[in-house]
Amino acid sequence: MNRVEALKIGKIIADRWWVRNQSTILAQQNIERRKLWEQKKLTTPASN
């Protein structure tokens, strides 16, 4: 197996992994973003 073939196989494996895990990864990023937003919301003083 040469380098080009190995890279093609590696890309196929990575693409399959991404398809299977994309929703989990994006959901985790969304959860982290919401946590940061909640922390920021709680730490900023309410202006009346």
Side-chain angles (χ1 to χ4, degrees):
M1 177 185 313
N2 62 23
R3 184 176 184 273
V4 175
E5 291 171 340
L7 289 172
K8 285 180 184 178
I9 292 171
K11 183 178 180 333
I12 291 169
I13 292 169
D15 288 345
R16 288 180 184 168
W17 180 88
W18 173 251
V19 168
R20 290 188 186 117
N21 295 298
Q22 180 180 14
S23 62
T24 305
I25 292 168
L26 295 178
Q28 186 64 35
Q29 288 175 348
N30 194 22
I31 290 168
E32 294 298 323
R33 197 175 309 119
R34 285 184 185 180
K35 284 180 183 177
L36 290 173
W37 183 78
E38 284 292 327
Q39 286 177 348
K40 189 179 285 186
K41 191 171 95 171
L42 293 175
T43 58
T44 56
S47 58
N48 290 341

